[in-house]
Amino acid sequence: MVQIKKIKVVNLFDYYCYEIKMNSHSNISIIHAPNGYGKTTVFNLVKHYLDFDVYKIHLIPFEKFTIELTNKMSLVVEKNDNGEMHFVISESEKKVDCNIDYRFFCQVYSRSKNVKEYTQRIHNLLRRPHPEIVDFEKIHNQCQENLAVIDKLKELYKNLSLNIINSNRLFINEPSHDPYGNKYVNNKMYFLPDEYIEEDLSGNNRKEVIISDADNILTKMQNARQKYSIISESIDRNFPNRLVECVEDKNYLPYNDSEIKDKLKSLEEKRLELQNAGLLQPGKNTLTPAGDIDDTMRKFYTLYINDSFRKLKLYDDIKSKLELFIDIINTKTAFSNKKMVIDTQKGVFFEPIQSKTGKKHDIPLEKLSSGEKHDFIMFYELIFNSKKNSIVLIDEPEISLHVAWQMQFINILERICVLNNIQVIVATHSPDIATGHEDLLISLGLEEDLND
């Protein structure tokens, strides 16, 4: 698992210099500082570098930015006053680097939606030189160096997945783009020019992210059920032939009667858990022996049990995520007197836990408070959209949350880190979220300012 080990920035906003060492004893690091210290900007620089977003990097004032990874790889970009940037990616004794003259390359990049399109434009330049380019040999060399750095980043992306959960996460403003051409699921980063984003933000057809996330939960459940049906059909089709082979095979050792009883009980319990998670429809109970059984029936039940567990194993990943998500939303977070329900027909909605009139009614997702929506979206992203062994950057998780709820956040985050095996780096204004976990805090000079 590749993680971020250290982030360094020199003269961010022509003032701030940081060396941020991530916690080596935990998968969670909490960067804490007041407004204006550049926490969000540092997050954006990480994302922009990995996306080779020259346009966005150019817009941020700094002299040098470095990302050190646990695989001993170092990513560096330096800027000068002439609009030039020097990118260096080093690994052990090997390195690739390129110089980019922004004054020329911004003309290429600003018309590109992502790195894939940017790369294609570079290839086009190499094949068909633009008539306005005087020193083509210099541009040719720069293009080749660009492609070498991009190829190295693409190679890195095979072992490193990055997701940013932004502070402004309530609305969908821009379709997802992977900088290297592969579609991300609900990634909130932008790869279009700023004027496009502003135009989209001003529209009246914005969709709330919580609605999209709820729809995606049902889609993931439906996809799991479809895979289950396909595998079940394949396994059940050749069950009779395999049973005959087992019966005729004198060396095939079936489970004994006690093992059959215990495994059938475990199988029924697993099916009930899947029903409660909405992944299986209620049906007949697990097939159980009516009385004494002979060796042939033992082989039948052994094959039946193994096939059943093999089919249900397809649900393990989505089941563990659904269970954790439901537990967090319904028992650990800021949803006051509300219980989340996931229904395959009605979708995801909430209902009151207590009512003075005793009447039950549904609470649509749009009617939740902003804090509740932020919570739902953030935990959905962490649980369902964070790939295993990935890096997740969370900007201001405390938004719209009461202090009492903030204090539960790290305990919840630790459970998610275990489930998905992810590294999480948090940027926050509120040290209360680290209550009981002060060793995870990384301050950006706050103490020095308070002592001045």
Side-chain angles (χ1 to χ4, degrees):
M1 176 181 177
V2 179
Q3 295 186 341
I4 293 177
K5 181 180 179 181
K6 185 188 299 183
I7 297 173
K8 294 188 288 187
V9 61
V10 177
N11 287 343
L12 179 65
F13 307 133
D14 197 31
Y15 181 76
Y16 296 110
C17 296
Y18 299 131
E19 182 173 329
I20 308 170
K21 297 179 180 179
M22 305 305 158
N23 290 308
S24 58
H25 62 283
S26 172
N27 279 359
I28 302 173
S29 298
I30 307 171
I31 301 174
H32 170 231
N35 290 323
Y37 273 53
K39 303 181 299 300
T40 302
T41 303
V42 169
F43 275 11
N44 288 335
L45 277 171
V46 172
K47 181 65 176 174
H48 298 337
Y49 195 116
L50 293 175
D51 294 344
F52 200 63
D53 195 332
V54 179
Y55 176 72
K56 295 282 181 66
I57 292 174
H58 171 78
L59 295 178
I60 299 173
F62 68 92
E63 287 186 15
K64 185 176 181 179
F65 180 72
T66 305
I67 307 170
E68 293 184 14
L69 304 174
T70 54
N71 65 350
K72 298 183 180 180
M73 182 178 286
S74 179
L75 316 176
V76 181
V77 56
E78 293 185 80
K79 298 168 67 174
N80 63 29
D81 296 334
N82 297 322
E84 294 179 345
M85 287 175 278
H86 185 212
F87 289 82
V88 181
I89 301 179
S90 59
E91 185 176 14
S92 300
E93 300 299 322
K94 300 178 181 179
K95 77 171 185 177
V96 294
D97 67 324
C98 68
N99 288 301
I100 295 181
D101 184 343
Y102 179 77
R103 291 166 296 183
F104 169 75
F105 277 96
C106 69
Q107 299 175 28
V108 180
Y109 191 88
S110 62
R111 291 192 290 270
S112 305
K113 293 181 181 179
N114 51 43
V115 171
K116 184 179 180 182
E117 187 173 321
Y118 175 56
T119 305
Q120 185 59 50
R121 288 181 182 275
I122 292 177
H123 281 297
N124 292 340
L125 281 173
L126 293 175
R127 289 196 299 267
R128 298 186 299 276
H130 195 279
E132 296 181 3
I133 299 177
V134 178
D135 191 349
F136 179 73
E137 183 178 354
K138 177 181 178 182
I139 297 301
H140 181 278
N141 293 335
Q142 287 189 7
C143 287
Q144 294 289 5
E145 293 170 356
N146 264 240
L147 294 176
V149 169
I150 290 172
D151 287 341
K152 194 66 177 178
L153 288 172
K154 289 169 68 175
E155 181 182 333
L156 175 62
Y157 254 58
K158 295 176 182 178
N159 300 309
L160 184 152
S161 177
L162 181 74
N163 186 24
I164 291 186
I165 302 177
N166 290 319
S167 57
N168 182 18
R169 47 184 172 262
L170 294 185
F171 294 95
I172 297 175
N173 302 313
E174 162 57 16
S176 303
H177 291 90
D178 180 326
Y180 303 107
N182 299 314
K183 187 177 181 181
Y184 277 151
V185 179
N186 206 25
N187 192 310
K188 307 300 189 304
M189 296 305 296
Y190 308 121
F191 297 92
L192 298 183
D194 289 343
E195 57 270 17
Y196 180 95
I197 298 170
E198 292 172 2
E199 179 182 348
D200 187 68
L201 286 169
S202 64
N204 297 319
N205 59 345
R206 291 183 300 164
K207 185 176 182 180
E208 290 198 60
V209 171
I210 192 171
I211 305 299
S212 176
D213 288 350
D215 291 342
N216 287 337
I217 289 174
L218 296 182
T219 300
K220 293 176 188 295
M221 294 171 65
Q222 182 62 35
N223 290 341
R225 284 193 290 267
Q226 289 177 352
K227 290 180 181 178
Y228 173 81
S229 298
I230 293 171
I231 296 298
S232 294
E233 182 180 353
S234 174
I235 292 175
D236 294 344
R237 186 186 301 120
N238 59 25
F239 180 86
N241 293 334
R242 289 185 290 114
L243 178 60
V244 170
E245 292 175 359
C246 290
V247 171
E248 294 178 350
D249 186 356
K250 304 302 181 182
N251 295 321
Y252 183 83
L253 297 177
Y255 297 130
N256 61 40
D257 292 5
S258 176
E259 289 173 328
I260 290 173
K261 181 179 178 180
D262 291 341
K263 290 183 180 296
L264 287 172
K265 181 180 178 181
S266 297
L267 183 60
E268 179 64 15
E269 290 173 350
K270 184 162 187 174
R271 282 180 168 153
L272 288 174
E273 290 174 354
L274 291 169
Q275 286 181 26
N276 293 334
L279 293 167
L280 283 183
Q281 297 295 331
K284 295 181 180 180
N285 293 337
T286 300
L287 183 64
T288 56
D292 295 336
I293 57 176
D294 57 18
D295 194 57
T296 297
M297 288 302 296
R298 290 189 187 95
K299 291 182 177 181
F300 166 82
Y301 277 108
T302 299
L303 193 61
Y304 165 76
I305 290 168
N306 290 339
D307 280 3
S308 297
F309 276 116
R310 179 184 167 193
K311 290 185 285 187
L312 295 179
K313 185 175 177 60
L314 291 168
Y315 285 122
D316 284 354
D317 183 61
I318 184 69
K319 172 178 172 289
S320 61
K321 292 180 177 181
L322 279 170
E323 287 178 338
L324 180 56
F325 187 63
I326 292 170
D327 181 55
I328 288 172
I329 296 299
N330 284 345
T331 64
K332 301 292 192 299
T333 53
F335 292 80
S336 178
N337 193 37
K338 298 180 184 72
K339 176 183 177 182
M340 183 179 69
V341 179
I342 301 178
D343 185 273
T344 54
Q345 302 298 322
K346 297 170 64 176
V348 181
F349 62 94
F350 285 77
E351 59 185 20
I353 297 174
Q354 295 180 332
S355 171
K356 290 184 178 180
T357 64
K359 296 180 181 179
K360 284 190 175 182
H361 63 276
D362 297 347
I363 304 173
L365 299 178
E366 311 94 88
K367 300 299 182 182
L368 297 177
S369 70
S370 61
E372 291 169 335
K373 290 177 182 178
H374 273 286
D375 237 20
F376 186 104
I377 294 165
M378 178 170 57
F379 289 118
Y380 169 83
E381 285 286 331
L382 282 165
I383 294 173
F384 291 98
N385 277 359
S386 298
K387 299 178 182 178
K388 288 188 179 296
N389 305 320
S390 65
I391 300 170
V392 183
L393 311 179
I394 310 177
D395 193 15
E396 301 182 29
E398 72 276 8
I399 288 178
S400 301
L401 295 183
H402 188 275
V403 172
W405 299 327
Q406 294 179 28
M407 293 168 65
Q408 303 180 53
F409 176 69
I410 299 302
N411 290 331
I412 296 172
L413 197 56
E414 287 180 329
R415 296 174 62 187
I416 299 173
C417 286
V418 171
L419 175 69
N420 284 340
N421 192 30
I422 56 178
Q423 179 189 24
V424 177
I425 304 174
V426 176
T428 181
H429 304 128
S430 174
D432 290 306
I433 69 168
T435 299
H437 303 274
E438 287 78 7
D439 59 314
L440 304 181
L441 275 174
I442 303 168
S443 176
L444 298 187
L446 177 62
E447 292 81 0
E448 291 83 348
D449 284 358
L450 291 176
N451 292 330
D452 286 346

